[in-house]
Amino acid sequence: MSYQPIENYGIVGNPHSVALVGLDGSIDFMCFPHFDSPSVFAKLLDDKKGGYFCIVPDFKEMKQKQLYLPDTNVLLTRFLSPDGVGEITDFMPAGTQEERKLIRRVTTIRGEVKYRLSCVPRFNYGRDEHKATKQGANEIVFHADGPNGLNVRLKANVELTVKDLDATAEFTLAAGDSADFMLENADNENVPAKQLKEKVTQLLIATINYWKAWIGRSTYQGRWRETVNRSALVLKLLTSAQYGSIIAAPTFGLPETIGGKRNWDYRYTWIRDASFTVYSFIRLGYTKEAGAFMDWIEKICRQIKGDERMGILYSIDGSRQLTEATLDNLEGYKGSSPVRIGNDAYGQLQLDIYGELMDSVYLYNKYGEPISYDFWKDLERQVEWLSRNWDQPDDGIWEVRGGKQTFLFSRLACWVALDRAMKIAKARSFPRNGSWKKQRDKIYNSIFMDFWDEKKQAFMQYPGAETVDASCLLMPLFRFISPKDPRFLSTLKRVEEELVTDSLVYRYRPEVAAPDGFTSKEGSFSACTFWYVECLSRSGQLEKARFYFEKMLGYANHLGLYSEQLGFEGEHLGNFPQAFTHLGLISAALNLDQQFNDSRNKNINLDEI
């Protein structure tokens, strides 16, 4: 098998779709034309049948490097050899009307370099047959069969050849010369080959300017700015320009354990993850993106009828039915099967989503724009439902498939939902239901009475549990408890003893936690590490927090990207890149920076006294 490590990839895209580009110059994953469309390239999930788009120089030996043009999502892949130096510039146009396309510009920097190209599309997750038709010397159109057939055009300013229904090319470029390749929907306006270079140059400049202008709107000027900016750019890539929804990750089927069965499809909008992303956008000054999500969630709420509860995840256009299926034709990353599309978690009960959602609405109403009366009435119905149902067992933040349980974090988030609803109503003088305070306080007391283990001096995963759960680290971040409260400090100590290895944090101890329905092990959960850092920061352990934060930065890939988890050797596992991890990084960095600034100011004041 010739699978690259997950961390060997960079991501390019725009707020419609994305592609993963390997260090070897191969695009091994792309769903097109939308985030949740069927894949066109999926070699990452089957190195023989998944499909790919590779451009590589014909060097006997070489080194590869990747970097982003600063403050953009334009990716450079460099090939360095004694025989010459070649470079690929990959991007999807952004900030223009011509966004539904992938562009690759190949340039020779030094020497004279021969390149080989293979464009091997496999449509509908590799399940549909296709035809390849050559249209002149520089163009090939791929016609996918099936009821939802996609016609894709590959355009170039070098000669292309059809071989076994794929596109191939061999071309040589002297130093300073370049060749351009544009993959797009065949329904788009066709650019003549002789104008392709000029067109690509225009789109490249427009795309660079778009990303630089966008990152220039950030209000953050503190420490680790470049790292924070990269995470913000990832979150923007995962935000739909068409709908305002925010996906959890652009990939599906990447395993949490090599050879394991937790291979989920994350190309959808989880209310939890998206709400946390809104929090990050607001903290960075991106209220426009936060507002677009609020418009999307308002439409979702409007569609909920009667006493129906909100779903935990939706497709980018707001559809709720995301029936899970397996792709038996793909072997999975390094043989990790089954490869899943869709996600049956859409039918789960996860009460915590109301807390994250209402917290983001509260922040947007405070720092963005006041929400409308009709939106409030729709939210009010959901809060009403929650006030009557918060004491139910549910499937929890980790979406366990081993049966419902009364989870601490779900109870905590229900408190947040009622608390923030009351705060919104007070700030806007909306009429309030008098029972909300009663239920909120009942939840508060329940957490201290039912989840506190006097012997272990910690808030446990559920009443009577043998382990803590890393989601308890969100207790002070949600303003439920002081980060310096003795009960939280002793809980933090218990988390360190049970779940922390160096700077890395596991979600829970699977051998004693609530059953998750699977027997395979998993890696440390990267978002939890950033929660841990923020808890250390808020509790006054600044130097320890900074030390662990900067150690965790060392686990990012060569481009500053993170997947969901880290394995035993620091390898990236799970879907990639994951919004949850990057928004956790942003929150930890901003809080740690603020704590250091506050500490410095206090020291200055003490000196003056």
Side-chain angles (χ1 to χ4, degrees), residues 343-588:
N343 200 309
D344 280 347
Y346 79 88
Q348 288 189 349
L349 175 64
Q350 295 178 22
L351 294 170
D352 68 281
I353 65 167
Y354 293 96
E356 291 101 356
L357 175 62
M358 292 307 299
D359 194 36
S360 68
V361 174
Y362 165 73
L363 292 170
Y364 181 72
N365 183 75
K366 184 175 182 179
Y367 297 108
E369 297 288 341
I371 64 171
S372 70
Y373 170 79
D374 290 329
F375 186 23
W376 168 251
K377 296 303 289 184
D378 288 334
L379 291 171
E380 185 181 48
R381 288 205 321 272
Q382 292 300 307
V383 176
E384 278 294 309
W385 182 91
L386 185 67
S387 71
R388 299 190 303 270
N389 292 278
W390 62 263
D391 58 347
Q392 292 187 48
D394 73 341
D395 297 291
I397 182 175
W398 307 129
E399 299 180 355
V400 297
R401 298 194 179 190
K404 292 181 171 60
Q405 185 56 267
T406 304
F407 289 107
L408 167 65
F409 182 72
S410 298
R411 199 58 59 91
L412 167 69
C414 289
W415 176 88
V416 173
L418 291 164
D419 181 72
R420 303 309 192 264
M422 292 170 59
K423 283 180 166 64
I424 295 169
K426 181 178 180 181
R428 297 290 304 282
S429 298
F430 290 139
R432 281 179 285 172
N433 186 313
S435 68
W436 288 359
K437 182 179 184 301
K438 179 180 178 181
Q439 296 302 319
R440 183 197 67 174
D441 294 347
K442 191 174 180 180
I443 297 171
Y444 186 91
N445 291 327
S446 170
I447 290 174
F448 279 94
M449 296 290 292
D450 302 329
F451 293 86
W452 174 257
D453 187 312
E454 188 65 28
K455 182 179 179 181
K456 296 191 175 183
Q457 289 290 292
F459 292 101
M460 307 304 284
Q461 186 184 43
Y462 57 87
E466 293 297 316
T467 183
V468 289
D469 183 315
S471 60
C472 72
L473 296 170
L474 289 168
M475 295 176 78
L477 277 57
F478 275 158
R479 310 297 198 275
F480 174 84
I481 193 171
S482 166
K484 297 181 181 179
D485 187 295
R487 291 202 188 207
F488 179 73
L489 290 176
S490 62
T491 299
L492 182 61
K493 185 174 184 292
R494 175 66 60 176
V495 169
E496 290 177 325
E497 292 171 353
E498 292 189 9
L499 304 180
V500 179
T501 301
D502 192 32
S503 60
L504 306 178
V505 182
Y506 292 85
R507 294 190 289 186
Y508 45 74
R509 292 167 56 202
E511 68 274 13
V512 294
D516 63 6
F518 296 91
T519 58
S520 59
K521 296 180 180 180
E522 66 171 22
S524 61
F525 204 77
S526 296
C528 296
T529 296
F530 290 118
W531 299 346
Y532 173 53
V533 166
E534 189 163 352
C535 286
L536 291 174
S537 170
R538 289 175 181 269
S539 65
Q541 303 176 68
L542 296 185
E543 293 301 337
K544 183 177 180 180
R546 178 166 62 182
F547 179 63
Y548 282 152
F549 178 73
E550 292 179 340
K551 287 197 73 173
M552 184 59 184
L553 296 184
Y555 284 102
N557 82 343
H558 57 289
L559 295 167
L561 306 179
Y562 290 89
S563 62
E564 183 178 17
Q565 299 182 19
L566 293 168
F568 184 81
E569 300 177 55
E571 72 275 17
H572 287 221
L573 296 169
N575 286 298
F576 172 86
Q578 195 206 34
F580 215 36
T581 303
H582 285 277
L583 61 90
L585 183 156
I586 291 171
S587 183

Side-chain angles (χ1 to χ4, degrees), residues 42 44-46 125 252-254 260-261 263-265 324-333 335-341:
L44 194 57
L45 297 168
D46 193 306
Y125 307 109
F252 63 90
L254 290 178
K261 298 183 181 300
N263 314 318
W264 312 120
D265 188 346
E324 196 170 291
T326 60
L327 298 174
D328 296 331
N329 60 306
L330 301 179
E331 72 168 14
Y333 177 76
S336 303
S337 62
V339 176
R340 293 183 172 92
I341 54 172

Side-chain angles (χ1 to χ4, degrees), residues 181-207:
F181 304 89
M182 181 184 294
L183 188 71
E184 61 181 347
N185 193 311
D187 296 333
N188 290 1
E189 181 181 354
N190 199 349
V191 178
K194 62 182 180 180
Q195 298 177 14
L196 187 61
K197 182 175 182 178
E198 180 183 358
K199 186 67 174 179
V200 168
T201 300
Q202 291 174 352
L203 292 174
L204 176 59
I205 292 172
T207 300

Side-chain angles (χ1 to χ4, degrees), residues 91-148:
F91 68 101
M92 289 185 178
T96 76
Q97 298 298 313
E98 303 181 59
E99 295 183 327
R100 312 282 174 121
K101 56 187 67 177
L102 168 71
I103 295 176
R104 315 197 74 183
R105 167 166 281 181
V106 183
T107 306
T108 293
I109 307 301
R110 292 193 177 99
E112 185 175 83
V113 182
K114 180 180 179 181
Y115 299 87
R116 289 178 282 109
L117 174 147
S118 297
C119 182
V120 183
R122 295 293 180 263
F123 294 94
N124 192 19
Y125 307 109
R127 297 180 296 187
D128 288 354
E129 300 293 332
H130 72 274
K131 301 178 182 66
T133 304
K134 189 169 181 180
Q135 309 276 356
N138 308 99
E139 180 180 327
I140 294 174
V141 177
F142 300 98
H143 309 267
D145 296 334
N148 300 312

